[in-house]
């Protein structure tokens, strides 16, 4: 397991480290001043970080999803599937109403993104992914009782593997796979985006099966 480095787990609200993303958010602040429009922090259970045994790592906030609401996977389709599946396996409770003030709470689970700021066209570039890993590394390290990570999509997977100190070539992305990386079980799934579900790349059954594997592992 990673030792906890003396690094912040969240970027500043006006984080300047990725100029393209900073400028993109600035444009949306002018266009939609009532939106969140800032780096999105991890979503934690009310019991706190020490209760977290399972971490989900996504790609980045969506423009009208987390960039609008300020909570990961909240406000766009990906959250509908993700949170329904979490509730199905007892990893969340309450009602998901696609807004940060609903009654949804996580149970033993945390959710973050490999890139904290919304990227144009949902596509961060390599330098932005690498830069934002300076926050992913301490985010993973903060969860002292972490047993499993689920990576959603190849970018989230690769950045997580690197954050854990392993080589991507040794732990390639594959839907439904499980690998042990530094004492953490890393599961991987195609991202639960509307595009992937609409095109059949990811079905609900495929997604549920990955969570079934995670739940079984956590019960061992």
């Amino acid at each position: 397991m990673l030792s906890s480095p003396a690094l912040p787990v969240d970027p500043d609200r006006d984080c300047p480290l990725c100029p393209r993303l900073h400028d993109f958010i600035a444009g949306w602040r002018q266009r939609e001043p009532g939106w969140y429009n800032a780096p999105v922090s991890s979503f934690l259970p009310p019991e706190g970080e020490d209760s977290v045994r399972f971490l989900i790592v996504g790609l980045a906030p969506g423009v009208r999803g987390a960039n609008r609401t300020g909570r990961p996977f909240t406000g766009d389709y990906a959250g509908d599937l993700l949170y329904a599946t979490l509730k199905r396996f007892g990893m969340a409770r309450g009602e998901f109403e696609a807004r940060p003030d609903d009654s949804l709470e996580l149970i033993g689970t945390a959710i973050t993104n490999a890139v904290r700021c919304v990227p144009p066209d949902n596509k961060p570039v390599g330098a932005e992914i690498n830069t934002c890993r300076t926050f992913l590394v301490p985010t993973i390290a903060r969860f002292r009782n972490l047993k499993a990570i689920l990576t959603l999509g190849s970018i989230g997977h690769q950045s997580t593997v690197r954050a854990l100190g392993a080589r991507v070539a040794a732990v390639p992305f594959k839907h439904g796979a499980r690998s042990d990386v530094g004492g953490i079980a890393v599961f991987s799934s195609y991202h639960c985006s509307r595009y992937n579900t609409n095109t059949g790349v990811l079905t609900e059954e495929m997604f549920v099966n990955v969570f079934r594997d995670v739940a079984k592992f956590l019960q061992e």
Side-chain angles (χ1 to χ4, degrees):
M1 182 63 187
L2 295 171
S3 60
S4 182
L7 293 171
V9 296
D10 291 313
D12 293 335
R13 178 171 175 81
D14 294 308
C15 179
L17 296 179
C18 300
R20 188 181 74 117
L21 303 188
H22 181 270
D23 292 347
F24 189 61
I25 286 179
W28 276 102
R29 285 180 181 177
Q30 291 185 337
R31 186 171 172 179
E32 296 287 352
W35 288 9
Y36 183 75
N37 289 321
V40 176
S41 299
S42 304
F43 183 21
L44 305 184
E47 292 79 13
E49 60 189 35
D50 285 352
S51 72
V52 173
R53 301 175 68 234
F54 177 41
L55 174 66
I56 297 170
V57 180
L59 171 57
V63 169
R64 292 173 175 81
N67 180 65
R68 176 173 62 86
T69 65
R71 190 176 73 181
F73 291 89
T74 300
D76 52 20
Y77 171 79
D80 294 345
L81 179 55
L82 175 61
Y83 289 119
T85 307
L86 284 167
K87 286 184 65 176
R88 176 173 178 167
F89 287 94
M91 299 169 177
R93 59 180 170 246
E95 293 302 319
F96 175 65
E97 299 173 348
R99 64 176 198 269
D101 61 345
D102 58 21
S103 62
L104 182 78
E105 294 180 341
L106 298 176
I107 302 172
T109 301
I111 303 174
T112 196
N113 280 310
V115 176
R116 300 294 187 87
C117 292
V118 57
D121 301 319
N122 294 320
K123 294 179 180 178
V125 300
E128 293 160 353
I129 299 165
N130 292 339
T131 296
C132 214
R133 198 174 306 118
T134 60
F135 302 104
L136 181 59
V137 169
T139 292
I140 294 173
R142 72 188 293 194
F143 303 122
R144 297 186 297 175
N145 297 309
L146 187 65
K147 302 297 182 185
I149 297 176
L150 172 61
T151 61
L152 299 179
S154 60
I155 290 176
H157 178 82
Q158 291 171 7
S159 197
T160 297
V161 168
R162 290 188 172 106
L164 289 170
R167 295 184 305 112
V168 168
V171 193
F173 172 79
K174 181 181 179 183
H175 177 83
R178 170 188 161 186
S179 302
D180 183 87
V181 184
I184 300 294
V186 177
F187 297 80
S188 52
S189 170
Y190 292 126
H191 196 284
C192 51
S193 66
R194 183 181 290 277
Y195 176 82
N196 281 347
T197 56
N198 282 350
T199 58
V201 170
L202 178 70
T203 66
E204 182 177 351
E205 181 181 10
M206 291 167 63
F207 199 57
V208 167
N209 284 341
V210 171
F211 273 83
R212 185 173 289 114
D213 290 343
V214 173
K216 182 179 178 181
F217 168 78
L218 291 173
Q219 290 170 0
E220 292 177 354

